[in-house]
Amino acid sequence: RQMCIRDSLGAQGDGVARLGGEAVFVAGALPGEMVRVEGPGDRPRLVGVDGPSPARAAPICSYFGVCGGCAVQHVGAPLYAEWKRELVITALEREGLSPPVAALADGHGAGRRRVTLHGRKRGAEAVAGFMRAKSHELVAIEACPILKPELAAAPAIALAVTQALK
């Protein structure tokens, strides 16, 4: 089925559409896009973007959309900053507060400072990586391009530790 993402980005970075008055959340979709989805319920899977948003960015990671480690690499910087600011405003409003909220200060630095890697043995084979989004399935990764350089060896270390387990 096809739908237009009209509203906004949800709290988890999903595009929000309205169908029959109900919210539908589509991971990987952006406001203003015409998308194709499949699956039932309020969280169908994105299968195609027919009218991409100018706010769409090319993800920097080949695992994006598969490993579950990042949710919004497809969101360009201006929309990302607006979305993050709106999350703060919404949280404050829920508590009855309405102070001024400044624009997002870019603080991502040299990359992610923390990472949780998982390892499993599959018979004699060892696998290490991230969990697929909303799943218990482990996705093997060799490298994560958003880690700080000091953590670049983390996936290889996780694999070595998993291989050493009995």
Side-chain angles (χ1 to χ4, degrees):
R1 62 188 161 147
Q2 191 174 41
M3 65 179 59
C4 183
I5 306 298
R6 297 185 188 274
D7 295 312
S8 60
L9 289 177
Q12 296 177 353
D14 298 339
V16 181
R18 295 269 174 208
L19 289 179
E22 298 293 319
V24 176
F25 301 91
V26 182
L30 297 178
E33 292 185 327
M34 184 61 71
V35 299
R36 284 176 280 119
V37 299
E38 63 183 25
D42 64 349
R43 294 199 177 269
R45 186 174 66 85
L46 178 69
V47 294
V49 177
D50 295 328
S53 165
R56 182 167 286 279
I60 64 166
C61 180
S62 62
Y63 297 105
F64 178 70
V66 177
C67 83
C70 298
V72 292
Q73 281 191 15
H74 66 294
V75 180
L79 178 57
Y80 179 84
E82 176 187 328
W83 170 64
K84 284 300 220 180
R85 182 175 178 273
E86 287 299 320
L87 289 175
V88 172
I89 291 170
T90 300
L92 291 169
E93 286 175 347
R94 279 193 197 117
E95 298 301 320
L97 303 170
S98 58
V101 177
L104 179 73
D106 184 359
H108 70 269
R112 186 173 279 180
R113 301 178 316 270
R114 293 178 307 213
V115 64
T116 301
L117 293 157
H118 302 268
R120 283 198 187 134
K121 286 274 188 115
R122 295 179 180 159
E125 178 189 17
V127 179
F130 292 115
M131 302 307 284
R132 185 178 300 277
K134 297 175 179 54
S135 169
H136 295 288
E137 181 185 347
L138 182 60
V139 176
I141 66 159
E142 293 179 18
C144 178
I146 67 164
L147 293 178
K148 284 185 74 152
E150 297 87 348
L151 291 175
I157 293 168
L159 180 60
V161 169
T162 304
Q163 288 169 331
L165 297 174
K166 296 201 185 252

